[in-house]
Structure formats: C-alpha cells, structure tokens
Amino acid sequence: MDSQPSWREERREAAAIHAAALERRKAAETAQARALLTDFVRTMKERGIEPQPLRAQVTGSGASYRTGITGWYLRRNRSLGTDADGNFYILGTPASLSARLLGVRILPSDPPITVGLGARDGESMPLAQLLQLRLDESD
C-alpha cells in the first residue's frame, strides 16, 4: 500500500490549517477591537460624559425597546453601543409585544475591527475611526 496521503486527506488538512489561521486572525482582531472600546470608555469617563440607558431599535420602524444596558451609542442611528465595561452591542431587534412591555435582552457581541463590513458602500468603517468620530462629537 502507498503511504502517501491521499488528495482528499491533503485537502482536509489544508482546510483545517486555513480555518485555524482564520480563527487566529479573528481572535486577534477581536482583541484589538476590545482594546479600542476599553480606551473609548475610559476617555468618555475622563471627559465626564455619563453613560445613558441604551434602547434597541426595532428593525424597519422608529420604535425602540428598553434593554437594561447603560452605556454610549456608537452610531448616530443608535444601532451600535457599548456599556461601561466596554462590551459591544448590536442594538437591533424585531418587533414584539412582550418586548414593548418588558424590554428586550440584548447580549454582547464580539466587536468587529471594521464596523458594517459587507454593508452598502459608505456604511463600513474601521472601528477606530467610528470611535474617534464619536469622541469628536462629544467635545
């Protein structure tokens, strides 16, 4: 029998190596984005800009629901936010009668190094640039 790996085994190994590299890159970008958010929160606190209750925007409507999260909005449309611990939130939710009455529970997400990647032209932006814009607006 031939001791050489088969083409299928080689492809499987190459795919596993590629997936591991992609995961390492994503983890590094997430760590970098978390550091940016931590710096943003520290700067907001140093400037005396108090966190406020964040609301989840109802997709396709002007309505919003309570979240129980206190922090700062990162975009003017209030679709993204961070809490006082630097956790990143996507503040969009579907319409719901119970959420209207009781609020909605939004879980933190891994922050992206580029916000809006894959969105329409002009809607994606490096997180560092978005945070700087937000800080400039707070001056």
Side-chain angles (χ1 to χ4, degrees), residues 37-38 41-42 45 51 69-72 82-87 89:
L37 286 169
T38 299
V41 168
R42 181 185 39 77
K45 288 177 179 179
I69 303 165
T70 302
W72 298 271
T82 186
D83 64 15
D85 295 324
N87 293 309
Y89 295 91

Side-chain angles (χ1 to χ4, degrees), residues 50-122:
E50 295 295 321
Q52 60 183 311
L54 301 181
R55 296 182 64 86
Q57 307 302 307
V58 177
T59 309
S61 115
S64 64
Y65 302 144
R66 294 181 314 275
T67 63
I69 303 165
T70 302
W72 298 271
Y73 291 106
L74 301 179
R75 293 195 108 154
R76 285 185 184 174
N77 68 2
R78 299 180 170 211
S79 62
L80 302 175
T82 186
D83 64 15
D85 295 324
N87 293 309
F88 178 78
Y89 295 91
I90 299 170
L91 298 169
T93 189
S96 159
L97 180 58
S98 65
R100 179 179 285 191
L101 299 172
L102 305 172
V104 66
R105 183 169 183 233
I106 303 287
L107 298 174
S109 301
D110 285 339
I113 199 67
T114 302
V115 175
L117 200 58
R120 295 187 305 231
D121 286 347

Side-chain angles (χ1 to χ4, degrees), residues 17-53:
I17 290 169
H18 179 73
L22 189 62
E23 192 61 36
R24 283 191 304 276
R25 190 182 93 225
K26 184 178 183 322
E29 288 179 356
T30 297
Q32 184 181 0
R34 285 188 195 284
L36 291 170
L37 286 169
T38 299
D39 289 345
F40 172 81
V41 168
R42 181 185 39 77
T43 302
M44 294 296 273
K45 288 177 179 179
E46 287 172 356
R47 292 182 180 184
I49 301 169
E50 295 295 321
Q52 60 183 311

